[in-house]
Amino acid sequence: MVKKTSEDKTPLVSIITATYNDELYIENSIRSVLSQDFTDFEYIIINDGSVDNTKKIVQRLQKEDSLVGSEMCIRDRQNKGLVASLNRGINEARGKYIARIDGDDEWLPHKLKTQVDMLENDDKLVLVGGGAEIINQN
């Protein structure tokens, strides 16, 4: 799944989600990416052989959200593992920077902008991260 800023323009950031059986969380995860203040990105989802409803949820979101293209939702027939899925996403990525989010995680709306601003304004930085809050189904 890809969100492009323009057909001709290379995105500044490639966001990669590797997901496996995340039907309970994947919708919130995708929506948190799509609600970012920073929008110069492509979004690549690797569905790593899910056997639950993850694929259907991703497909529904592709149809519902006009900002989401259908060019890249890669589905492996069998589970290959997180590392293989992330490497596949990296191979498809076109951005200057790569951001990753798991299928059961959510981002605050300003997360990507804050991190891109840090990277763009300090040439000594090569990697940035953030804090986390533990959430559960309740």
Side-chain angles (χ1 to χ4, degrees):
M1 173 199 275
V2 176
K3 176 182 178 180
K4 293 183 180 177
T5 55
S6 165
E7 290 298 321
D8 302 332
K9 186 174 183 269
T10 301
L12 190 57
V13 179
S14 296
I15 301 170
I16 301 170
T17 296
T19 183
Y20 176 72
N21 290 346
D22 286 321
E23 71 181 2
L24 297 177
Y25 311 104
I26 191 69
E27 183 166 351
N28 287 342
S29 183
I30 291 170
R31 291 193 187 283
S32 77
V33 169
L34 297 177
S35 66
Q36 289 298 296
D37 296 340
F38 182 87
T39 60
D40 186 6
F41 65 83
E42 67 180 350
Y43 190 14
I44 303 165
I45 296 177
I46 310 294
N47 182 0
D48 190 20
S50 295
V51 294
D52 65 357
N53 288 314
T54 298
K55 178 183 175 184
K56 290 178 184 178
I57 294 166
V58 172
Q59 289 175 330
R60 177 175 51 79
L61 291 172
Q62 286 177 298
K63 290 177 185 175
E64 287 178 9
D65 194 320
S66 63
L67 297 175
V68 179
S70 59
E71 293 88 350
M72 193 175 301
C73 179
I74 301 167
R75 184 181 190 313
D76 287 323
R77 295 202 182 276
Q78 66 182 45
N79 182 265
K80 295 181 180 179
L82 180 62
V83 173
S85 294
L86 291 174
N87 283 334
R88 188 166 184 189
I90 289 168
N91 288 333
E92 298 292 339
R94 301 179 301 134
K96 176 179 178 182
Y97 302 115
I98 293 179
R100 65 173 298 266
I101 180 172
D102 290 327
D104 62 349
D105 290 343
E106 295 178 33
W107 284 350
L108 295 173
H110 59 278
K111 183 257 192 216
L112 198 57
K113 181 176 184 343
T114 300
Q115 291 184 336
V116 168
D117 286 347
M118 291 174 71
L119 288 164
E120 289 287 287
N121 293 312
D122 187 342
D123 60 359
K124 294 177 187 168
L125 292 177
V126 295
L127 177 74
V128 295
E133 290 182 36
I134 304 298
I135 57 175
N136 60 34
Q137 291 177 358
N138 299 322

